[in-house]
Amino acid sequence: MLILGWSCDFTSGLNQDILLAQGHVESQNFQKAVDLYLRVLKKNPPKNIRIKIQYQIGEIQYLYLDQQVKALDHYQYIVDNVDDPLWQVKALEKIADINFSFSRRYNEAIRAYQVLMKFRPRLANYDLYFFRIGESYFQKGEYPKAREIFLEVLQQGYSSYLTESYYHLGLIEFYQKNWEKSVEWWFEYLKREKQKDKIVRVKFLIANAYESNEKLKEAYNIYYSLLPDYPNPEVLKARLKSLYARRVARKR
């Protein structure tokens, strides 16, 4: 449970409201806590208290109320009004994640991740920031920029996001109808991936690329191999039936 420490140097009225709000947090009445914190802010509390309340509201909305986009303004207040690097990093990470994962405002996510990458010494999540920038360009359809970042991840050779970079490089080529190149990247991905559901997903994509490239036998064999594991076997059976008919038609 998120409880911030509070000093006791504020007025008794504020003290009572804040303690009541914290009680709502402890009892998981999160919306009541937010409503009361917002009323406290309207009373113009001292800056150090305002900062804690702004962050507390942001955390409640982000973590518990599924109101991540609403939390943005509260985290932005921290960025704009607090010089402490620890506060800055915590708020910027949330801003970046909300823009990337929830509001899909990828330009804003890129800007936040770029600021985070400038902190020195390098932050522990540096590789995540860099990869997320690549994902953001990918989601925007700016494939050359995305490819450049994913290739740099491969060149580094040590990133936790190496395997996922192979996957995204394959997707970039697939969306641009470079079927053979997409298959090359995905086979490299399969050499490294351990999770069964992800392996099945990528094998399906490889079969799809083969099918799109008129390599019907290769596509058929992969689809068939996935029958025991694919979550929707009826889709595979339809693909197999279609491929079989196409192969028969070729031989006539």
Side-chain angles (χ1 to χ4, degrees):
M1 187 63 58
L2 176 66
I3 302 291
L4 291 180
W6 300 94
S7 62
C8 298
D9 58 352
F10 39 83
T11 67
S12 59
L14 287 176
N15 182 40
Q16 184 177 3
D17 287 341
I18 289 171
L19 290 176
L20 182 57
Q22 288 296 88
H24 287 321
V25 174
E26 291 173 342
S27 59
Q28 300 186 34
N29 293 319
F30 297 117
Q31 189 59 59
K32 287 184 177 180
V34 168
D35 292 342
L36 187 48
Y37 279 134
L38 289 172
R39 289 202 296 272
V40 172
L41 289 178
K42 290 180 180 179
K43 296 180 180 180
N44 196 28
K47 183 177 180 180
N48 64 318
I49 297 173
R50 177 176 290 273
I51 287 167
K52 289 185 176 183
I53 291 175
Q54 292 279 8
Y55 189 79
Q56 184 86 317
I57 294 172
E59 291 288 90
I60 293 171
Q61 291 176 329
Y62 178 83
L63 295 171
Y64 303 116
L65 290 179
D66 196 24
Q67 297 175 354
Q68 290 83 7
V69 176
K70 282 188 176 182
L72 276 172
D73 287 341
H74 302 289
Y75 290 126
Q76 189 62 52
Y77 180 89
I78 304 301
V79 173
D80 294 339
N81 291 276
V82 182
D83 294 329
D84 186 335
L86 293 177
W87 282 92
Q88 287 273 322
V89 169
K90 288 193 294 184
L92 280 166
E93 285 187 332
K94 297 294 175 56
I95 289 170
D97 183 57
I98 291 168
N99 281 311
F100 179 85
S101 302
F102 298 97
S103 67
R104 305 294 192 265
R105 296 169 61 190
Y106 296 112
N107 286 332
E108 297 299 322
I110 289 169
R111 276 192 280 271
Y113 285 126
Q114 286 174 336
V115 172
L116 286 162
M117 289 178 66
K118 293 178 181 178
F119 277 83
R120 292 296 180 271
R122 179 181 290 195
L123 297 170
N125 289 326
Y126 183 93
D127 289 347
L128 169 63
Y129 309 149
F130 189 56
F131 183 73
R132 278 282 180 89
I133 291 173
E135 285 188 301
S136 296
Y137 283 128
F138 174 82
Q139 293 295 337
K140 291 173 62 185
E142 296 185 26
Y143 296 137
K145 290 183 178 179
R147 182 189 289 111
E148 183 179 342
I149 288 178
F150 296 136
L151 286 173
E152 187 170 338
V153 173
L154 300 190
Q155 291 171 359
Q156 292 170 354
Y158 59 82
S159 172
S160 303
Y161 302 94
L162 184 74
T163 301
E164 284 299 309
S165 292
Y166 281 110
Y167 170 70
H168 279 80
L169 286 164
L171 280 180
I172 289 171
E173 301 301 338
F174 184 82
Y175 290 152
Q176 296 186 311
K177 300 183 179 182
N178 299 323
W179 314 119
E180 290 188 12
K181 189 62 179 177
S182 69
V183 168
E184 288 179 17
W185 286 123
W186 283 331
F187 274 122
E188 290 298 321
Y189 170 88
L190 290 176
K191 292 177 183 178
R192 296 161 175 83
E193 183 54 67
K194 305 299 181 185
Q195 296 185 38
K196 186 175 181 179
D197 60 330
K198 292 184 177 182
I199 290 171
V200 169
R201 175 187 65 184
V202 169
K203 284 184 176 180
F204 182 89
L205 288 171
I206 290 172
N208 200 327
Y210 277 142
E211 184 179 357
S212 300
N213 203 26
E214 295 298 318
K215 294 187 174 182
L216 304 186
K217 180 179 179 181
E218 292 88 341
Y220 187 96
N221 290 340
I222 293 179
Y223 284 137
Y224 188 83
S225 73
L226 293 175
L227 280 172
D229 302 312
Y230 197 72
N232 190 349
E234 294 304 315
V235 170
L236 292 184
K237 290 176 183 178
R239 291 288 180 101
L240 289 168
K241 183 177 180 180
S242 173
L243 284 170
Y244 180 78
R246 290 170 65 185
R247 292 176 69 189
V248 169
R250 275 186 176 181
K251 295 178 181 179
R252 290 176 181 168

